[in-house]
Amino acid sequence: MAADGSAHLPKAPSTRELALDCAFLGALVVVSLALYVGGLGFYSDDWSFLGYLTMSEGQSVAGLYRTMIEFPHKGGRPLQALSEALLFKAFGQLPLGYHLANSVVLLIGVLAFYLTMREAGLHGLPSLAAASLLAVLPNFSTTRFWMAASQANTTMALVFLCLYADLRAVRARPEAFWAWKSAAVLLLAAAALGYESFIPLLLMGPLLVWWRVGATASLHREGRRRLLRAMLPMAANLAVVVGAAAYKLSTYDRLRLEPARSFYEHAYLTGWLAEGAIRIHFIDWGIRLPSVVGRILSDRRSPEVALVAGIVGVAVFVYLTAVAGRRRPALPDAPHFALMTVAGIGLFTLGYAAFLGNYQLTFTPTGIGNRTAAAGTVGVTIVWAGLAGLAASTLRRPWARSATYGLAISALCASGLLATNTLASYWVAAGSRAREVLARIERQLPGGPPWKTLLLDGVCPYEGPAIVFESSWDLQGALLIRYRDYALNADVVSPRLEVREDGIHTSIYKFRKRYPYDGLFVYDYSRGLLQSLPDAASARRYFGGRTAHRRGPECPHGEPGHGARVF
């Protein structure tokens, strides 16, 4: 069907060329995570998911899926519910399996991103540069470390596999066209039921197909007919995206719009959204990146990480310049890079379009809130690759242009890998501390808990941006795995804790909890003591006032969603 005019399409890159580039990108992803993936653990929401999955009445995949889809705030995310059910069935409570699976999905996403750009007709070298940056930049690093956020990587992989299948159908033979198109629609449906910030990127499918066919089809009647035949099936894409968006708006409470706000409030919040997104990606992880690298090298000396980052920088430079040397043209002209930069800005904008009218996101360069930056980062990589090309195109000699381009991309890759691995060290430390806390509680109370509610004191909630225990859902979920009793409550002592006559009150994000004194105990981890708090008077004696955490260790200041700020 779409092959009528396939002879008019530009020659596709050779299989050998694509295989070499994909092998290079695969090695880059593997090296970027090799130093830390084995030390990662579970964090925050992970514990809650694991607790409920452990207690699920049905331990089949279907039973585990039902447990997760009924979990609070997960009704609109069937993809996440299914992936967590499958991972729990495969790996149980062993974190390494989860993180290796997430790493494979990240790799697939990077490769699919590269193949999509090549299939769309972009020049090979800037496509390779953008994909290399996506493999290592820290802009959405939380999705590498936190299983609850790994759905962003899964959705990203599905989005680019879908776009690739749609583009591949353009030059497919008639008998293969509908196979590619059917695969694209199925992948699109799965992606649309995943992480919400990627849904607007799915709208790129019809645009890319129009660009790919329209740019190569002549204006005579046969060319217009071929364009029409390629575009008509794209109506299925739009129908799936609209249907998925409607489903999510009706089932996922965090996506509901806020129509009660005035026009001026929406205008102000849209400006806030734009300012926050630009600040995180182009200032915190852009202009300030050299100072971040300097601080890492001076304050958190890790010879291993510095060595790997240096090797990666050299490898990226060598490979990119080698690619430029054997492919013609080595680099496209300045207008190509200008168009690429504009396209990157458009993708960056689409990456945050899901939050317009909702604004349910946290801007942070390092904390768990930076999972919302995943879709926007796709555009950022294209912007950097385009700007580097514009700078290189000002030079006159071809070898100087290629070397300058390779140097700019390799410096960004080395810096990104250094920052990502440094952030990973905090998550490894937080996971280790959480396991130590749980092991000590279990050792001291092997026969079962005497409490109805346990408050954990004397443990810093954060290791940098990573969470040890900060809330009721993480500690309670972890203890549910060990004691298998839904009636047990647990929470952590924090400056937000209040002692009142009717019980202990805690709050985090928009959630508030009250724990009556009946069966209330506090566990002082630093001293290894379990103490009953039967009334308000005993609680005040323990805490020494209305707010808590005065007896605990000196902890760096941290905030929910951000953790303790670093860099």
Side-chain angles (χ1 to χ4, degrees):
M1 174 175 177
D4 301 329
S6 59
H8 299 289
L9 292 172
K11 183 180 178 182
S14 70
T15 302
R16 181 176 181 276
E17 177 183 326
L18 292 179
L20 285 173
D21 289 350
C22 286
F24 167 75
L25 290 170
L28 187 59
V29 172
V30 170
V31 170
S32 75
L33 55 85
L35 293 180
Y36 66 76
V37 69
L40 295 173
F42 297 122
Y43 314 91
S44 189
D45 294 6
D46 297 345
W47 290 114
S48 189
F49 298 160
L50 288 170
Y52 278 84
L53 288 168
T54 300
M55 296 289 287
S56 176
E57 291 183 5
Q59 287 295 308
S60 65
V61 172
L64 296 170
Y65 173 80
R66 282 194 299 272
T67 296
M68 289 312 304
I69 202 66
E70 294 169 2
F71 198 85
H73 309 300
K74 293 294 174 286
R77 290 179 172 176
L79 179 64
Q80 183 180 14
L82 178 60
S83 63
E84 284 165 352
L86 291 170
L87 289 170
F88 182 79
K89 188 68 176 176
F91 305 116
Q93 297 165 20
L94 301 176
L96 180 59
Y98 293 79
H99 291 291
L100 288 176
N102 184 36
S103 300
V104 170
V105 169
L106 176 64
L107 171 60
I108 293 171
V110 170
L111 296 181
F113 176 54
Y114 170 70
L115 293 173
T116 297
M117 287 188 288
R118 296 305 306 273
E119 197 65 37
L122 270 70
H123 189 280
L125 193 60
S127 297
L128 184 60
S132 299
L133 293 172
L134 187 65
V136 296
L137 284 185
N139 301 48
F140 64 118
S141 60
T142 293
T143 68
R144 291 169 165 262
F145 315 134
W146 186 29
M147 287 312 304
S150 64
Q151 59 171 319
N153 294 333
T154 305
T155 308
M156 179 177 72
L158 290 169
V159 165
F160 288 116
L161 287 172
C162 163
L163 295 177
Y164 175 76
D166 262 329
L167 288 166
R168 184 63 182 81
V170 168
R171 61 181 179 89
R173 295 179 177 178
E175 61 271 19
F177 175 85
W178 287 110
W180 281 108
K181 184 61 197 177
S182 299
V185 172
L186 290 174
L187 289 163
L188 183 145
L193 294 174
Y195 197 48
E196 297 75 29
S197 65
F198 279 95
I199 289 180
L201 267 64
L202 292 168
L203 298 174
M204 291 293 297
L207 181 60
L208 288 174
V209 169
W210 173 82
W211 167 269
R212 187 65 171 135
V213 180
T216 57
S218 61
L219 295 179
H220 60 68
R221 182 178 300 175
E222 181 57 32
R224 289 195 296 269
R225 188 180 295 125
R226 184 165 61 83
L227 178 60
L228 183 64
R229 283 198 295 264
M231 289 304 299
L232 280 177
M234 299 306 293
N237 294 50
L238 296 174
V240 171
V241 171
V242 170
Y247 168 77
K248 281 182 170 288
L249 287 170
S250 64
T251 57
Y252 189 51
D253 56 358
R254 292 182 179 175
L255 273 185
R256 289 171 188 163
L257 302 179
E258 303 174 14
R261 296 184 184 273
S262 69
F263 169 80
Y264 297 102
E265 287 176 309
H266 279 296
Y268 170 80
L269 288 170
T270 300
W272 166 82
L273 182 66
E275 184 276 333
I278 292 169
R279 172 170 43 82
I280 292 297
H281 290 285
F282 296 106
I283 297 178
D284 290 339
W285 289 127
I287 294 172
R288 292 186 60 243
L289 187 57
S291 67
V292 169
V293 169
R295 186 167 176 182
I296 291 172
L297 294 176
S298 61
D299 296 348
R300 292 188 65 86
R301 298 181 187 87
S302 173
E304 264 186 333
V305 172
L307 178 62
V308 170
I311 292 172
V312 163
V314 172
V316 170
F317 175 78
V318 169
Y319 190 79
L320 291 183
T321 51
V323 166
R326 66 173 180 263
R327 300 178 192 173
R328 292 292 180 267
L331 279 177
D333 54 17
H336 183 101
F337 282 117
L339 182 61
M340 188 175 181
T341 304
V342 171
I345 293 171
L347 280 173
F348 171 70
T349 304
L350 282 178
Y352 283 94
F355 300 105
L356 287 171
N358 180 269
Y359 318 111
Q360 296 293 314
L361 76 169
T362 300
F363 288 114
T364 172
T366 59
I368 62 171
N370 89 343
R371 66 193 184 277
T372 59
T377 302
V378 173
V380 171
T381 65
I382 297 176
V383 170
W384 288 136
L387 290 177
L390 284 173
S393 64
T394 61
L395 302 175
R396 303 181 70 176
R397 296 182 180 277
W399 67 266
R401 289 197 294 269
S402 299
T404 299
Y405 192 73
L407 185 62
I409 299 302
S410 64
L412 282 170
C413 286
S415 301
L417 186 140
L418 183 68
T420 298
N421 274 262
T422 301
L423 291 172
S425 67
Y426 291 105
W427 288 84
V428 170
S432 177
R433 176 54 61 89
R435 290 190 292 270
E436 290 172 5
V437 170
L438 295 172
R440 184 182 293 185
I441 291 174
E442 196 167 17
R443 281 198 306 271
Q444 291 193 236
L445 300 165
W451 67 79
K452 293 181 181 177
T453 299
L454 179 71
L455 300 176
L456 176 64
D457 193 14
V459 177
C460 291
Y462 307 110
E463 288 279 350
I467 298 169
V468 181
F469 291 112
E470 70 165 355
S471 65
S472 59
W473 53 84
D474 52 20
L475 183 58
Q476 187 169 323
L479 295 179
L480 183 60
I481 296 171
R482 282 152 176 77
Y483 296 114
R484 296 175 177 268
D485 187 348
Y486 279 122
L488 298 177
N489 296 308
D491 210 329
V492 298
V493 172
S494 77
R496 297 178 299 278
L497 182 147
E498 294 183 69
V499 177
R500 299 183 186 175
E501 291 300 322
D502 63 344
I504 297 292
H505 290 245
T506 66
S507 64
I508 186 169
Y509 301 105
K510 297 179 180 179
F511 303 101
R512 297 182 178 277
K513 292 272 191 175
R514 181 183 70 86
Y515 302 107
Y517 291 110
D518 179 30
L520 178 65
F521 282 73
V522 61
Y523 179 66
D524 187 337
Y525 178 81
S526 59
R527 296 190 297 166
L529 297 177
L530 183 69
Q531 182 170 332
S532 173
L533 302 179
D535 50 42
S538 62
R540 288 194 180 95
R541 283 195 299 271
Y542 178 83
F543 293 120
R546 282 176 58 81
T547 58
H549 222 33
R550 297 182 180 177
R551 298 166 55 100
E554 288 295 326
C555 297
H557 175 70
E559 302 173 40
H562 299 270
R565 297 175 186 266
V566 294
F567 306 150

